[in-house]
Amino acid sequence: MSVPDIKSARMALVDPHAFSSAGSGQRRRAAMTATMREHLGDLWRSATEGARVDGLALGCVGSLARGELGPLSDLDLVLLYRGQDVKSVNAIADKLWYPLWDNGIRFDHSVRTPQQSREAGARDLTAAIGQLDLTWIAGDETLVMAVRSTTAHDWRRDARTRLPELLEALASRHHREGDLAQLVDPDLKEARGGLRDMGILRAMTAAWLADRPHG
C-alpha cells in the first residue's frame, strides 16, 4: 500500500453517517489505528529489506500509541537503537521518514538510544509523560518494552518532585486556551478539561498519585 492510499483510507473510515451510533467513535479510532500500524509495518519491512535487525525498533507515542488516531491526527514516531552503527540507523531512518514527508503525512520523529530517551524524559516534562504511552510498531520489541519500563520507573520515582512544574504548565495552558466547557469554539485537545488533561490524569495514575476516571 502506498503512502497516499493511507491518507485516503483514513478519511474513508470517518463515515459521518455513523456518528450518532453508540460506540462508533471508538470503532473508528481503532480502525484508523490498525490501518496506520499496518502501513508503518510495511514501511519498516521495506526499509530493513525484510531482515531481522536486533537492537533497532520503531515505536510510537501520542494518539497512535493510545489507539486514539483520528483522520487528521499527526504521528509521533520514535526510532530506538542500541549497539547499532549510527550511520546505518540514520540510513534506515531516512527510508522511514522520507516516504512520509514526500506524501504529506504530518509527523514528529526522533532517533534515540534508551539512554537518550531516559535523558529526554528527565529534561522535558512533556517527553516524560509522552513516553509513558510508548508502543511497539516494528523491529526489536524488547527494546521498546525496556524503554517504556524505564520511563515508568523514573516517572513513579520523580513525579512528586515534578508536581510544581506540572501544575505551572497546566495553569499556563489553561490560561492560554480557556475552559472547554465555557467556550463556543474550544480547542478540544488543549483547553481546560480537554484531551491533554486526560493525558495528565493517566500520567498521575501511572505515578500512583491519583485514581483514573471511572465514568
Side-chain angles (χ1 to χ4, degrees):
M1 182 183 294
S2 64
V3 176
D5 290 338
I6 278 293
K7 296 181 71 174
S8 299
R10 287 172 70 177
M11 293 306 298
L13 290 168
V14 172
D15 189 13
H17 299 294
F19 280 7
S20 60
S21 301
S24 64
Q26 184 176 5
R27 290 191 296 272
R28 184 168 55 251
R29 292 191 296 272
M32 289 182 181
T33 299
T35 298
M36 183 54 69
R37 287 179 61 89
E38 180 181 357
H39 170 69
L40 290 171
D42 290 342
L43 195 60
W44 174 268
R45 285 184 286 275
S46 176
T48 60
E49 299 179 351
R52 175 185 172 91
V53 185
D54 292 329
L56 187 67
L58 179 63
C60 61
V61 296
S63 59
L64 179 59
R66 296 189 300 271
E68 298 174 351
L69 198 67
L72 300 178
S73 297
D74 293 352
L75 305 179
D76 297 285
L77 303 175
V78 185
L79 184 61
L80 295 169
Y81 71 98
R82 178 171 54 197
Q84 296 283 336
D85 176 69
V86 175
K87 185 176 180 180
S88 298
V89 172
N90 287 334
I92 290 178
D94 287 345
K95 293 178 182 178
L96 293 170
W97 309 152
Y98 276 99
L100 297 173
W101 278 323
D102 290 345
N103 291 280
I105 303 294
R106 298 184 305 174
F107 71 103
D108 291 327
H109 63 93
S110 59
V111 180
R112 291 172 175 163
T113 65
Q115 182 59 33
Q116 288 170 339
S117 296
R118 193 171 195 177
E119 291 169 355
R123 182 175 60 250
D124 186 329
L125 183 64
T126 300
I129 292 174
Q131 286 179 169
L132 291 171
D133 294 322
L134 180 65
T135 300
W136 173 85
I137 294 176
D140 189 343
E141 187 171 4
T142 60
L143 183 58
V144 175
M145 294 300 100
V147 172
R148 179 165 175 158
S149 177
T150 299
T151 297
H153 171 272
D154 290 349
W155 175 246
R156 286 194 297 268
R157 182 194 63 198
D158 300 334
R160 289 182 183 277
T161 59
R162 301 188 77 168
L163 274 175
E165 179 187 3
L166 178 62
L167 293 174
E168 181 179 355
L170 275 173
S172 176
R173 176 165 54 80
H174 291 166
H175 177 75
R176 181 178 67 251
E177 302 294 343
D179 192 324
L180 186 149
Q182 303 299 323
L183 296 172
V184 174
D185 186 22
D187 186 320
L188 296 179
K189 183 175 182 180
E190 302 292 346
R192 182 177 183 271
L195 296 175
R196 184 76 73 185
D197 285 353
M198 291 301 297
I200 297 297
L201 283 174
R202 285 194 297 269
M204 299 305 293
T205 302
W208 305 333
L209 296 178
D211 192 11
R212 66 176 179 81
H214 291 271

